[in-house]
Amino acid sequence: MNQVTEQLTNEEAIEHARNLAIKIKPRFKLTEELSRQPEETIQDFIESGLVRVMTPKQWAGHELGFHTLSKTTMEIAKADPSAGWCYTLLLIHSWMLGYFPEEVQREIWEKNPDASIASSFNPFPTNKVISVEGGYQLNGEWGYSSGIDHGEWVMVMGFVDVDPADGIPNEILMMMVPKEDFEIQKTWKTVATRGTGSNNITLKNVFVPKHRVLDMIAWCQKGEGPGRKTNTSLLYSHPLFAAMPVSLSSALLGASQGAYELWRDTMKNKVSAKNTKVADFTHQQIRVAEVSAMLAAAEALLEKTITRLGTGEPIDTHEKLRLRRNYGFIAKMCNNAVKTIVDHSGAGIVYEGNPLNRYWRDVQGSSMHYAFNMDMLGEMFGKMELGIPLDPKSTLIL
């Protein structure tokens, strides 16, 4: 078993992230031009040791937890929103692998403890996942796979043996697929979050053995997975969607903080068309107070959520929806904060060369992620609060 050469502390990891942000910042434009992360950036993540923040100790990881993931993600996302997004997914996917059977953990991490893992929770409706002897056969296309260009493996969600009469699958699974078994489709031609490289992938007659498979229903409802037999710490005991959005929320919050800091610092020396210092305008001073307060509130809610995950108290459906409501509202506050910044930035915000334009687009795009859908999350949480039953089908992988 590989042993990590240097066991990072939380404070050391955050300092590494701050140093990484300085290196990543000059690639701000390059990530957009490439529509993915530069290879140098991925290598920086690896060489810093930060890709192992959420990896179990038994596989040479630091096993530091969600507080470290969140703080390091925010530092990197301040420098480059898309880099922060890809960084945090590398970490959370290693955490997710910790729930899979030990055999596939060994298959991946014994060969490379720094293995880059991507994911797709978006199977096309026409996909076919059928059970066969010893595993499953996959055919179809999966979307929104952020960081797939540097992914050595990808975990894809699949609905198995769907009954054509009622559309209900026999199983809902997460399945690990190696790079040689998927084909990347260059579909990521977007106006926002270009640097995430969230392309589609195609799988043709791909066989996934059972040791590379995880039951999504047990994982989402109870935080269960076969990997917990050896990864016994509290970190690997959470229902998937009660904890996983910490990563995306942290990237979005860090990007929003980066936008605020750029706007604030630029304003100090900005002069209006009437040759008046913009910083002297009372309305701008008030907007600074409002935006900084919105972001401080978002950060406090995220901290409260991470602290709740660390208590070890059971997470039932109501509590799960409370946590998911938090993630959705954090995204809403971040988006509103950056929209306020844009509304008070002048016409120069429309220029592509204005770095604030990039923050604006990336925050807008990131906040539209399915994990932050407040209409869906708000409806379900509201029903629970008011004693109205939820649709059992919609709560299978809540």
Side-chain angles (χ1 to χ4, degrees):
M1 208 174 282
N2 294 289
Q3 294 298 317
V4 66
T5 55
E6 179 191 357
Q7 193 71 48
L8 291 179
T9 66
N10 173 66
E11 292 72 22
E12 289 169 340
I14 295 171
E15 186 60 29
H16 283 0
R18 288 177 180 144
N19 293 333
L20 268 185
I22 296 170
K23 297 178 69 175
I24 289 168
K25 188 71 173 178
R27 302 172 194 148
F28 192 80
K29 293 182 179 179
L30 180 59
T31 61
E32 289 236 303
E33 294 169 0
L34 296 175
S35 288
R36 59 174 173 79
Q37 288 302 299
E39 292 299 328
E40 308 96 291
T41 297
I42 302 304
Q43 196 59 37
D44 285 340
F45 294 160
I46 293 170
E47 291 177 358
S48 70
L50 291 177
V51 290
R52 303 192 197 183
V53 160
M54 301 290 279
T55 303
K57 288 182 179 178
Q58 69 157 329
W59 302 112
H62 304 300
E63 202 173 305
L64 284 172
F66 285 101
H67 178 77
T68 309
L69 174 144
S70 181
K71 293 299 184 182
T72 57
T73 295
M74 285 192 281
E75 292 296 335
I76 293 169
K78 285 179 188 178
D80 186 317
S82 291
W85 190 268
C86 288
Y87 165 83
T88 205
L89 288 178
L90 288 175
L91 272 59
I92 204 67
H93 291 155
S94 290
W95 170 77
M96 291 167 67
L97 180 55
Y99 286 79
F100 276 76
E102 185 177 4
E103 187 175 351
V104 71
Q105 293 183 49
R106 180 180 297 108
E107 185 178 8
I108 294 173
W109 279 326
E110 277 196 346
K111 182 179 180 181
N112 181 8
D114 297 316
S116 298
I117 304 168
S119 70
S120 175
F121 289 80
N122 294 274
F124 280 33
T126 54
N127 286 9
K128 298 291 183 183
V129 181
I130 59 174
S131 53
V132 295
E133 184 176 355
Y136 302 86
Q137 186 182 64
L138 282 61
N139 277 284
E141 191 165 347
W142 277 256
Y144 297 102
S145 188
S146 298
I148 190 64
D149 284 283
H150 53 261
E152 298 167 49
W153 290 76
V154 64
M155 50 180 73
V156 298
M157 189 171 73
F159 301 94
V160 183
D161 299 331
V162 177
D163 188 330
D166 56 18
I168 297 176
N170 282 342
E171 299 176 285
I172 304 176
L173 304 175
M174 188 64 82
M175 297 163 280
M176 296 293 307
V177 179
K179 189 172 186 175
E180 58 267 23
D181 285 347
F182 62 80
E183 181 180 344
I184 299 173
Q185 306 296 330
K186 296 295 184 178
T187 53
W188 197 242
K189 300 175 183 179
T190 62
V191 297
T193 63
R194 290 180 197 164
T196 66
S198 303
N199 289 299
N200 293 359
I201 57 170
T202 301
L203 280 65
K204 298 177 181 178
N205 296 319
V206 171
F207 173 71
V208 178
K210 287 186 176 180
H211 75 268
R212 294 180 184 168
V213 168
L214 185 57
D215 179 355
M216 283 285 285
I217 296 176
W219 191 8
C220 291
Q221 292 186 354
K222 300 178 182 179
E224 294 179 351
R228 288 191 59 196
K229 293 178 182 177
T230 52
N231 300 321
T232 58
S233 75
L234 175 62
L235 181 59
Y236 307 100
S237 66
H238 303 301
L240 175 61
F241 292 116
M244 187 272 283
V246 168
S247 59
L248 306 181
S249 301
S250 300
L252 180 55
L253 178 55
S256 303
Q257 290 170 335
Y260 167 73
E261 291 174 4
L262 176 62
W263 175 64
R264 177 200 62 199
D265 294 345
T266 301
M267 196 189 307
K268 292 176 182 178
N269 298 309
K270 189 175 181 180
V271 178
S272 74
K274 293 183 179 181
N275 201 30
T276 305
K277 287 189 67 176
V278 174
D280 289 337
F281 295 157
T282 302
H283 67 270
Q284 286 296 87
Q285 297 160 4
I286 295 170
R287 296 296 87 75
V288 167
E290 290 178 342
V291 171
S292 63
M294 278 191 271
L295 296 179
E299 186 168 10
L301 185 56
L302 182 56
E303 284 280 353
K304 181 177 181 178
T305 303
I306 294 171
T307 299
R308 171 60 182 86
L309 292 174
T311 64
E313 297 176 10
I315 299 176
D316 60 14
T317 300
H318 199 166
E319 185 65 7
K320 197 185 309 174
L321 282 170
R322 188 187 309 278
L323 295 172
R324 295 202 65 185
R325 173 210 64 186
N326 290 358
Y327 301 128
F329 202 71
I330 288 164
K332 187 171 184 176
M333 283 193 285
C334 287
N335 199 18
N336 286 342
V338 174
K339 282 182 177 178
T340 301
I341 288 172
V342 171
D343 287 345
H344 295 84
S345 291
I349 188 70
V350 301
Y351 283 95
E352 287 186 359
N354 185 336
L356 193 54
N357 179 292
R358 162 79 184 286
Y359 280 100
W360 171 29
R361 289 183 285 110
D362 277 17
V363 167
Q364 177 65 51
S366 298
S367 67
M368 296 168 72
H369 192 279
Y370 179 76
F372 301 137
N373 187 326
M374 273 303 290
D375 286 345
M376 174 191 71
L377 300 174
E379 179 187 354
M380 289 192 289
F381 179 78
K383 283 182 175 179
M384 289 291 288
E385 283 282 278
L386 298 171
I388 301 171
L390 298 175
D391 178 0
K393 185 177 178 181
S394 69
T395 60
L396 283 176
I397 54 172
L398 174 64

